[in-house]
Amino acid sequence: MTSKKILLATDLSCRCDRALDRAVLLASTWHASLTVVHAVEESTQVTDLPSWRQTLTPAQLALQQIRADMPKDPKVHVDMVVEQGDPASVVLGAIERVKPDLLVTGVARGETLGRMLLGNTVEQIVRKTRVPLLVVKSRPHEAYRNVMLTTDYSESSRDALPTAFALLPTSAKLSLFYAYDVFFEGHIDDRISARDAAHHRALDEGQAFLENLHAKTGSGHAIPLICEYGDPGVLLSDLTHTRGIDLVVLGTAGRTGILGALLGSVAMRLLSTLPSDVLIVRATAG
């Protein structure tokens, strides 16, 4: 079996400490190699000073901080990549060279997506590479235990989930979430009956989706199906709190629009607002 490779993208801020800890934990569990990549701005440092007054370059300072932040005597092989350039280009270049199985980055709970390491470039990262992206928000203490898989019942959503399975511990408890709506509900007199009918359709489609998924993966592991009426962002946020979800998986085709096909325009909002860690996986084809 080929050893796994993990790429950690960090801006060296405190909000990426948790991502570093999770990346090291995963690398130790998988016996995987870990590469840490950081982008620095173009240096404007004055270099005509006497040698005893010359300071380290931004790249040297970054390497120094990465070494200081790494756990002492880690049980994983660690490489470090520090380059000048915008984060998206530097990370994509590292992905091309390292060919990782997983890209990890960090964002603090409650921060807007604009303050995440990859900022507004996260969409092009997802669209330009099929490497799964793990956004870490919580401080890791152990392997993921309670995982919520999200779906819109599309083929691309189904095809993305086996990639997620390969990254999750076999001991993880999995659930499948689907949020449904009632078309033209405002023009329906008996809304209760309409929602009840929509709920039963969602359950039937969900069971067919799961059967197809099991056939595709060859797994007989039971996955509970959760179908709820309403806004998926609000419902998922509530579920992560009430059910102790520590990881939400978003599957996407990664073609057009914000994070592709899974949840349309709400996917980016989910990535930024969910309190749990988020794993974005692309379909293996399409």
Side-chain angles (χ1 to χ4, degrees), residues 178-182 194-196 198-200 202 227-231 235:
Y178 175 75
Y180 64 90
D181 203 349
V182 177
R195 291 184 185 182
D196 186 62
H199 180 71
H200 283 88
C227 293
E228 296 290 345
Y229 169 85
D231 179 88
L235 293 169

Side-chain angles (χ1 to χ4, degrees), residues 175-231:
S175 301
L176 182 68
F177 170 79
Y178 175 75
Y180 64 90
D181 203 349
V182 177
F183 294 118
F184 306 111
E185 184 177 14
H187 301 281
I188 298 175
D189 294 329
D190 190 352
R191 297 185 183 183
I192 295 178
S193 295
R195 291 184 185 182
D196 186 62
H199 180 71
H200 283 88
R201 284 195 300 271
L203 288 175
D204 290 341
E205 291 176 19
Q207 292 302 325
F209 180 90
L210 283 172
E211 289 174 7
N212 201 317
L213 180 63
H214 288 316
K216 184 178 180 64
T217 61
S219 171
H221 186 69
I223 302 177
L225 176 63
I226 302 172
C227 293
E228 296 290 345
Y229 169 85
D231 179 88

Side-chain angles (χ1 to χ4, degrees), residues 88-127:
S89 297
V90 171
V91 172
L92 286 169
I95 290 173
E96 182 66 24
R97 295 189 300 273
V98 176
K99 294 179 172 53
D101 299 279
L102 179 67
L103 172 63
V104 183
T105 191
V107 59
R109 286 174 177 267
E111 285 196 354
T112 61
L113 188 61
R115 293 196 60 193
M116 194 175 75
L117 165 69
L118 300 178
N120 59 9
T121 65
V122 68
E123 182 181 357
Q124 63 175 303
I125 294 290
V126 174
R127 292 178 61 185

Side-chain angles (χ1 to χ4, degrees), residues 142-157:
E142 58 188 347
Y144 292 116
R145 295 186 303 171
N146 205 349
V147 180
M148 184 68 70
L149 310 170
T150 60
T151 182
D152 61 355
Y153 293 159
S154 67
E155 184 177 353
S156 60
S157 171

Side-chain angles (χ1 to χ4, degrees), residues 5-266:
K5 299 177 182 179
I6 298 173
L7 182 65
L8 169 68
T10 177
D11 62 0
L12 301 182
S13 67
C14 60
R15 66 178 174 270
C16 279
D17 288 348
R18 296 177 179 186
L20 171 61
D21 291 344
R22 175 61 70 179
V24 170
L25 176 61
L26 288 172
S28 178
T29 301
W30 294 347
H31 304 288
S33 63
L34 173 62
T35 300
V36 181
V37 59
H38 172 69
V40 295
E41 297 180 0
E42 185 176 355
S43 175
T44 58
Q45 183 180 14
V46 177
T47 58
D48 58 351
L49 296 173
S51 59
W52 65 85
R53 293 188 57 197
Q54 291 180 12
T55 59
L56 296 176
T57 66
Q60 290 171 328
L61 287 170
L63 284 169
Q64 188 178 76
Q65 183 174 337
I66 292 171
R67 292 190 183 100
D69 289 343
M70 289 299 301
K72 303 302 180 184
D73 191 25
K75 298 179 181 178
V76 295
H77 176 74
V78 180
D79 291 317
M80 288 171 278
V81 176
V82 177
E83 297 178 355
Q84 288 188 358
D86 71 280
S89 297
V90 171
V91 172
L92 286 169
I95 290 173
E96 182 66 24
R97 295 189 300 273
V98 176
K99 294 179 172 53
D101 299 279
L102 179 67
L103 172 63
V104 183
T105 191
V107 59
R109 286 174 177 267
E111 285 196 354
T112 61
L113 188 61
R115 293 196 60 193
M116 194 175 75
L117 165 69
L118 300 178
N120 59 9
T121 65
V122 68
E123 182 181 357
Q124 63 175 303
I125 294 290
V126 174
R127 292 178 61 185
K128 291 183 179 180
T129 179
R130 294 191 181 277
V131 177
L133 170 63
L134 175 63
V135 180
V136 178
K137 301 182 181 184
S138 302
R139 186 169 302 283
H141 299 289
E142 58 188 347
Y144 292 116
R145 295 186 303 171
N146 205 349
V147 180
M148 184 68 70
L149 310 170
T150 60
T151 182
D152 61 355
Y153 293 159
S154 67
E155 184 177 353
S156 60
S157 171
R158 183 201 66 208
D159 290 345
L161 291 181
T163 301
F165 291 170
L167 300 173
L168 298 174
T170 55
S171 59
K173 178 182 177 182
L174 306 180
S175 301
L176 182 68
F177 170 79
Y178 175 75
Y180 64 90
D181 203 349
V182 177
F183 294 118
F184 306 111
E185 184 177 14
H187 301 281
I188 298 175
D189 294 329
D190 190 352
R191 297 185 183 183
I192 295 178
S193 295
R195 291 184 185 182
D196 186 62
H199 180 71
H200 283 88
R201 284 195 300 271
L203 288 175
D204 290 341
E205 291 176 19
Q207 292 302 325
F209 180 90
L210 283 172
E211 289 174 7
N212 201 317
L213 180 63
H214 288 316
K216 184 178 180 64
T217 61
S219 171
H221 186 69
I223 302 177
L225 176 63
I226 302 172
C227 293
E228 296 290 345
Y229 169 85
D231 179 88
V234 174
L235 293 169
L236 274 172
S237 293
D238 184 61
L239 282 170
T240 55
H241 286 294
T242 59
R243 300 202 176 199
I245 303 298
D246 49 16
L247 179 67
V248 172
V249 178
L250 302 178
T252 173
R255 294 177 183 140
T256 58
I258 300 177
L259 294 184
L262 170 65
L263 295 170
S265 62
V266 303

